[in-house]
Amino acid sequence: MSNTETHPSELTAEPNADMDGWQVLQGRDVPLGGPRAMTVRRTLPHRDRSFVGAWCFADHYGPDDVASTGGMDVAPHPHTGLQTVSWLFEGEIEHRDSGGNHGMVLPGEVNLMTGGHGICHSEVSTPSTTTLHGVQLWVALPEEAREAPRAFEHFAPELISLPTQAGEAHALVFLGELAGTSSPVLTHTPLLGAELRLGPHARLRLDLREDFEYGVLLDTGSVELDGIALHKADLACRETGPSSLELVAGEDGARLVLLGGPPFEEEIVMWWNFVGRTHEDIEKAREQWQAESERFGEVEGYVGKVDRLPAPALPGGTLRARGRRGKV
Ligand code: MN
Protein backbone atom coordinates (compact mmCIF):
# COMPACT_ATOMS: atom_id res chain seq x y z
CA MET A 1 0.00 0.00 0.00
CA SER A 2 0.93 3.57 -0.31
CA ASN A 3 1.03 6.39 2.06
CA THR A 4 -1.75 8.19 0.20
CA GLU A 5 -2.23 10.95 2.71
CA THR A 6 -2.74 14.21 0.84
CA HIS A 7 -0.83 16.16 3.45
CA PRO A 8 1.69 13.79 4.97
CA SER A 9 2.67 15.48 8.14
CA GLU A 10 6.12 15.70 9.46
CA LEU A 11 6.00 14.10 12.86
CA THR A 12 7.48 15.95 15.71
CA ALA A 13 9.33 13.36 17.67
CA GLU A 14 10.66 13.28 21.13
CA PRO A 15 13.64 11.06 21.69
CA ASN A 16 12.89 7.47 22.53
CA ALA A 17 13.28 7.07 26.21
CA ASP A 18 15.73 4.44 27.30
CA MET A 19 13.30 2.16 28.96
CA ASP A 20 13.12 -1.33 30.25
CA GLY A 21 10.34 -3.51 29.10
CA TRP A 22 7.67 -2.79 26.52
CA GLN A 23 6.77 0.54 24.98
CA VAL A 24 3.17 0.22 23.75
CA LEU A 25 2.42 2.34 20.67
CA GLN A 26 -1.26 2.87 19.88
CA GLY A 27 -2.27 3.04 16.25
CA ARG A 28 -3.54 6.40 15.01
CA ASP A 29 -6.28 6.43 12.38
CA VAL A 30 -5.09 7.56 8.97
CA PRO A 31 -7.57 7.77 6.09
CA LEU A 32 -5.91 6.64 2.88
CA GLY A 33 -7.81 9.20 0.82
CA GLY A 34 -10.42 9.09 -1.91
CA PRO A 35 -14.16 8.51 -1.64
CA ARG A 36 -15.22 5.62 0.62
CA ALA A 37 -11.55 5.02 1.25
CA MET A 38 -10.29 2.75 3.93
CA THR A 39 -8.76 3.96 7.15
CA VAL A 40 -5.66 2.32 8.56
CA ARG A 41 -4.21 2.28 12.06
CA ARG A 42 -0.60 3.44 11.89
CA THR A 43 1.91 2.71 14.65
CA LEU A 44 5.21 3.37 12.85
CA PRO A 45 6.55 5.92 12.39
CA HIS A 46 5.43 7.23 15.77
CA ARG A 47 6.40 10.41 17.52
CA ASP A 48 8.05 8.26 20.18
CA ARG A 49 9.68 5.73 17.91
CA SER A 50 11.09 5.46 14.38
CA PHE A 51 12.07 1.81 14.07
CA VAL A 52 11.86 -1.77 15.22
CA GLY A 53 15.08 -3.07 13.69
CA ALA A 54 14.87 -1.75 10.11
CA TRP A 55 11.05 -1.87 10.16
CA CYS A 56 10.08 1.78 9.70
CA PHE A 57 6.39 1.76 8.80
CA ALA A 58 3.47 -0.30 10.10
CA ASP A 59 -0.17 0.06 9.08
CA HIS A 60 -2.86 -2.32 10.33
CA TYR A 61 -6.22 -2.36 8.56
CA GLY A 62 -9.52 -4.17 8.72
CA PRO A 63 -11.41 -6.34 8.90
CA ASP A 64 -13.13 -3.92 6.49
CA ASP A 65 -16.35 -4.72 4.69
CA VAL A 66 -15.27 -3.83 1.18
CA ALA A 67 -18.86 -3.05 0.15
CA SER A 68 -18.84 -0.06 2.51
CA THR A 69 -15.18 1.01 2.39
CA GLY A 70 -14.75 0.57 -1.35
CA GLY A 71 -11.77 -1.68 -0.79
CA MET A 72 -8.30 -0.79 -1.93
CA ASP A 73 -7.51 0.92 -5.22
CA VAL A 74 -4.13 2.58 -5.03
CA ALA A 75 -2.99 3.94 -8.38
CA PRO A 76 0.69 3.71 -9.38
CA HIS A 77 2.89 5.51 -6.89
CA PRO A 78 6.65 5.50 -6.32
CA HIS A 79 8.99 4.21 -3.64
CA THR A 80 12.69 4.72 -2.94
CA GLY A 81 15.09 3.42 -0.31
CA LEU A 82 12.76 0.80 1.15
CA GLN A 83 11.15 -2.60 0.80
CA THR A 84 7.39 -3.04 1.14
CA VAL A 85 6.12 -6.14 2.92
CA SER A 86 2.46 -7.00 2.33
CA TRP A 87 0.77 -9.47 4.65
CA LEU A 88 -2.93 -10.25 4.53
CA PHE A 89 -5.24 -12.05 6.95
CA GLU A 90 -8.26 -11.89 4.62
CA GLY A 91 -8.98 -10.70 1.09
CA GLU A 92 -6.93 -10.56 -2.07
CA ILE A 93 -4.94 -7.71 -3.64
CA GLU A 94 -3.62 -7.51 -7.18
CA HIS A 95 -0.11 -6.09 -7.38
CA ARG A 96 1.58 -4.65 -10.49
CA ASP A 97 4.94 -2.92 -10.53
CA SER A 98 7.38 -1.26 -12.88
CA GLY A 99 9.77 -4.19 -12.52
CA GLY A 100 7.27 -6.05 -14.69
CA ASN A 101 5.88 -8.04 -11.76
CA HIS A 102 2.23 -8.93 -11.55
CA GLY A 103 1.02 -11.02 -8.62
CA MET A 104 -1.65 -11.55 -6.03
CA VAL A 105 -1.23 -10.81 -2.36
CA LEU A 106 -3.00 -13.65 -0.56
CA PRO A 107 -3.60 -14.42 3.12
CA GLY A 108 -0.62 -16.16 4.69
CA GLU A 109 1.70 -15.41 1.75
CA VAL A 110 4.23 -12.63 1.82
CA ASN A 111 5.02 -10.26 -1.03
CA LEU A 112 8.20 -8.27 -0.63
CA MET A 113 8.93 -5.52 -3.13
CA THR A 114 12.27 -3.73 -3.28
CA GLY A 115 12.14 -0.10 -4.27
CA GLY A 116 15.78 0.83 -3.76
CA HIS A 117 16.74 3.28 -6.52
CA GLY A 118 13.15 3.61 -7.68
CA ILE A 119 10.03 1.59 -8.42
CA CYS A 120 6.32 2.27 -8.79
CA HIS A 121 3.39 -0.03 -8.21
CA SER A 122 -0.39 -0.27 -7.98
CA GLU A 123 -2.50 -2.25 -5.50
CA VAL A 124 -6.15 -3.12 -6.07
CA SER A 125 -8.36 -5.47 -4.07
CA THR A 126 -9.91 -8.06 -6.38
CA PRO A 127 -13.64 -8.06 -7.26
CA SER A 128 -14.18 -11.27 -5.28
CA THR A 129 -12.80 -9.71 -2.09
CA THR A 130 -15.52 -8.99 0.47
CA THR A 131 -13.34 -8.41 3.52
CA LEU A 132 -9.93 -6.78 3.58
CA HIS A 133 -7.72 -7.30 6.58
CA GLY A 134 -3.96 -7.13 6.87
CA VAL A 135 -0.80 -5.21 7.58
CA GLN A 136 1.40 -3.10 5.35
CA LEU A 137 4.99 -2.85 6.49
CA TRP A 138 8.07 -1.07 5.19
CA VAL A 139 11.72 -1.86 5.77
CA ALA A 140 14.37 0.87 5.50
CA LEU A 141 17.27 -0.20 3.30
CA PRO A 142 20.77 0.29 4.73
CA GLU A 143 23.18 2.63 2.95
CA GLU A 144 24.83 -0.12 0.88
CA ALA A 145 21.48 -1.32 -0.49
CA ARG A 146 19.40 1.78 -0.77
CA GLU A 147 20.05 2.12 -4.51
CA ALA A 148 19.21 -1.57 -5.05
CA PRO A 149 17.47 -2.50 -8.31
CA ARG A 150 13.75 -3.25 -8.46
CA ALA A 151 12.85 -6.68 -7.12
CA PHE A 152 9.80 -8.64 -6.08
CA GLU A 153 9.62 -11.86 -4.07
CA HIS A 154 6.73 -14.04 -3.03
CA PHE A 155 6.81 -16.74 -0.37
CA ALA A 156 4.15 -18.92 1.27
CA PRO A 157 5.49 -20.14 4.63
CA GLU A 158 4.41 -23.41 6.16
CA LEU A 159 2.32 -23.22 9.31
CA ILE A 160 4.47 -24.53 12.14
CA SER A 161 3.42 -25.63 15.58
CA LEU A 162 5.13 -23.95 18.55
CA PRO A 163 5.73 -25.67 21.89
CA THR A 164 3.55 -24.08 24.59
CA GLN A 165 3.04 -24.22 28.33
CA ALA A 166 -0.74 -24.40 27.75
CA GLY A 167 -3.05 -24.50 24.73
CA GLU A 168 -1.92 -24.36 21.13
CA ALA A 169 0.22 -21.94 19.17
CA HIS A 170 1.27 -21.77 15.53
CA ALA A 171 3.44 -19.50 13.44
CA LEU A 172 3.94 -18.45 9.84
CA VAL A 173 7.50 -17.16 9.54
CA PHE A 174 7.54 -14.91 6.48
CA LEU A 175 10.90 -13.18 7.04
CA GLY A 176 13.95 -14.34 8.97
CA GLU A 177 14.11 -17.18 11.47
CA LEU A 178 12.01 -18.25 14.42
CA ALA A 179 11.68 -21.51 16.35
CA GLY A 180 13.91 -23.46 13.99
CA THR A 181 12.18 -22.42 10.77
CA SER A 182 13.25 -19.75 8.31
CA SER A 183 12.13 -17.77 5.28
CA PRO A 184 14.23 -17.69 2.08
CA VAL A 185 13.19 -14.11 1.26
CA LEU A 186 16.20 -11.81 0.88
CA THR A 187 16.55 -8.86 3.22
CA HIS A 188 19.45 -6.42 3.47
CA THR A 189 19.58 -6.36 7.27
CA PRO A 190 18.64 -9.25 9.56
CA LEU A 191 14.87 -9.14 10.11
CA LEU A 192 12.09 -11.18 11.61
CA GLY A 193 8.48 -11.12 10.45
CA ALA A 194 6.01 -13.78 11.63
CA GLU A 195 2.30 -14.23 12.18
CA LEU A 196 1.54 -15.92 15.52
CA ARG A 197 -1.75 -17.70 16.19
CA LEU A 198 -2.62 -18.56 19.75
CA GLY A 199 -5.50 -20.82 20.67
CA PRO A 200 -7.83 -20.09 23.62
CA HIS A 201 -5.86 -19.63 26.84
CA ALA A 202 -2.59 -20.54 25.15
CA ARG A 203 0.56 -19.73 27.07
CA LEU A 204 3.62 -19.33 24.87
CA ARG A 205 7.19 -18.57 25.86
CA LEU A 206 9.25 -17.62 22.82
CA ASP A 207 13.02 -17.61 22.82
CA LEU A 208 14.37 -14.47 21.22
CA ARG A 209 17.68 -13.03 20.10
CA GLU A 210 19.27 -10.71 22.60
CA ASP A 211 20.67 -8.57 19.78
CA PHE A 212 17.25 -7.87 18.23
CA GLU A 213 14.66 -5.25 19.00
CA TYR A 214 11.12 -6.63 18.83
CA GLY A 215 7.64 -5.41 18.06
CA VAL A 216 4.42 -7.32 18.82
CA LEU A 217 1.27 -6.16 17.03
CA LEU A 218 -2.11 -7.48 18.13
CA ASP A 219 -4.49 -8.16 15.25
CA THR A 220 -7.47 -9.96 16.78
CA GLY A 221 -8.38 -11.60 20.07
CA SER A 222 -6.90 -10.72 23.42
CA VAL A 223 -3.46 -11.29 24.82
CA GLU A 224 -1.12 -10.37 27.63
CA LEU A 225 2.46 -9.77 26.66
CA ASP A 226 4.77 -10.20 29.65
CA GLY A 227 1.75 -9.29 31.78
CA ILE A 228 0.69 -6.24 29.71
CA ALA A 229 -2.77 -6.40 28.09
CA LEU A 230 -2.61 -5.29 24.45
CA HIS A 231 -5.46 -3.71 22.50
CA LYS A 232 -6.23 -4.24 18.85
CA ALA A 233 -3.58 -2.68 16.58
CA ASP A 234 -1.25 -1.86 19.47
CA LEU A 235 2.40 -2.32 18.62
CA ALA A 236 4.43 -3.13 21.72
CA CYS A 237 8.14 -2.49 21.15
CA ARG A 238 11.20 -3.53 23.09
CA GLU A 239 14.91 -2.77 22.95
CA THR A 240 17.65 -5.38 22.67
CA GLY A 241 18.58 -7.46 25.72
CA PRO A 242 15.93 -9.88 26.92
CA SER A 243 16.12 -13.45 25.58
CA SER A 244 12.43 -14.38 25.66
CA LEU A 245 8.88 -13.09 25.81
CA GLU A 246 5.67 -14.59 27.11
CA LEU A 247 2.23 -14.40 25.53
CA VAL A 248 -0.95 -15.51 27.30
CA ALA A 249 -4.08 -15.53 25.17
CA GLY A 250 -7.61 -14.88 26.39
CA GLU A 251 -10.62 -17.12 25.86
CA ASP A 252 -10.88 -16.33 22.14
CA GLY A 253 -7.20 -16.82 21.44
CA ALA A 254 -5.21 -14.18 19.58
CA ARG A 255 -3.54 -13.45 16.28
CA LEU A 256 -0.39 -11.32 16.31
CA VAL A 257 2.45 -10.16 14.11
CA LEU A 258 5.96 -10.36 15.54
CA LEU A 259 8.62 -8.08 14.07
CA GLY A 260 12.30 -7.97 14.92
CA GLY A 261 15.76 -6.93 13.86
CA PRO A 262 19.01 -5.51 15.20
CA PRO A 263 18.92 -1.76 15.88
CA PHE A 264 19.02 0.28 12.67
CA GLU A 265 21.73 2.80 13.38
CA GLU A 266 21.38 5.04 10.32
CA GLU A 267 19.30 8.17 10.17
CA ILE A 268 16.69 8.44 7.46
CA VAL A 269 14.44 11.09 6.00
CA MET A 270 11.01 9.66 5.35
CA TRP A 271 8.30 11.56 3.53
CA TRP A 272 5.27 10.37 1.55
CA ASN A 273 6.47 7.14 -0.12
CA PHE A 274 10.15 7.94 -0.12
CA VAL A 275 13.00 7.06 2.19
CA GLY A 276 16.26 8.96 1.72
CA ARG A 277 19.06 10.39 3.80
CA THR A 278 18.61 14.09 3.20
CA HIS A 279 15.91 16.61 2.36
CA GLU A 280 17.54 16.93 -1.07
CA ASP A 281 17.16 13.17 -1.71
CA ILE A 282 13.43 13.48 -1.14
CA GLU A 283 13.09 16.67 -3.16
CA LYS A 284 14.85 15.03 -6.09
CA ALA A 285 12.77 11.84 -5.92
CA ARG A 286 9.59 13.92 -5.80
CA GLU A 287 10.64 16.02 -8.81
CA GLN A 288 11.57 12.93 -10.78
CA TRP A 289 8.25 11.24 -10.01
CA GLN A 290 6.35 14.34 -11.06
CA ALA A 291 8.42 14.50 -14.28
CA GLU A 292 7.63 10.82 -15.02
CA SER A 293 11.34 10.00 -14.93
CA GLU A 294 12.78 6.63 -15.97
CA ARG A 295 13.87 6.29 -12.38
CA PHE A 296 10.48 4.86 -11.45
CA GLY A 297 9.51 3.14 -14.70
CA GLU A 298 5.89 2.40 -15.57
CA VAL A 299 3.20 0.05 -14.35
CA GLU A 300 1.58 -1.94 -17.17
CA GLY A 301 -2.04 -2.97 -17.00
CA TYR A 302 -3.40 -0.78 -14.22
CA VAL A 303 -6.88 0.56 -14.98
CA GLY A 304 -8.24 3.23 -12.68
CA LYS A 305 -9.59 6.74 -12.42
CA VAL A 306 -6.10 8.22 -12.52
CA ASP A 307 -2.96 6.82 -14.15
CA ARG A 308 -0.68 7.72 -11.26
CA LEU A 309 -0.81 9.35 -7.84
CA PRO A 310 0.69 12.83 -7.89
CA ALA A 311 3.10 13.63 -5.09
CA PRO A 312 1.82 16.12 -2.54
CA ALA A 313 3.61 19.42 -2.11
CA LEU A 314 6.62 19.32 0.16
CA PRO A 315 6.07 21.03 3.49
CA GLY A 316 7.80 24.34 4.03
CA GLY A 317 11.22 24.10 5.60
CA THR A 318 13.68 21.28 5.61
CA LEU A 319 12.61 17.70 6.24
CA ARG A 320 14.43 16.39 9.25
CA ALA A 321 16.06 13.03 9.64
CA ARG A 322 14.81 10.41 12.05
CA GLY A 323 17.04 8.04 13.91
CA ARG A 324 16.61 5.45 16.63
CA ARG A 325 16.34 8.26 19.13
CA GLY A 326 13.69 10.22 17.23
CA LYS A 327 14.19 13.34 15.14
CA VAL A 328 17.77 14.50 14.84
MN1 MN B 1 3.20 1.33 -2.07
Side-chain angles (χ1 to χ4, degrees), residues 1-4 74-79 82 84 86 95 113 119-123 136 138 273 309:
M1 189 187 313
S2 155
N3 180 359
T4 49
V74 186
H77 60 277
H79 289 291
L82 60 84
T84 63
S86 303
H95 163 96
M113 183 185 78
I119 197 167
C120 63
H121 72 143
S122 62
E123 294 151 291
Q136 180 64 44
W138 295 356
N273 293 303
L309 289 181

Side-chain angles (χ1 to χ4, degrees), residues 84 86 95-97 99-105 110-114 119 121 149-154:
T84 63
S86 303
H95 163 96
R96 295 173 190 273
D97 71 42
N101 301 293
H102 176 217
M104 296 298 172
V105 186
V110 72
N111 280 3
L112 177 144
M113 183 185 78
T114 302
I119 197 167
H121 72 143
R150 297 168 195 157
F152 181 80
E153 284 189 82
H154 170 263

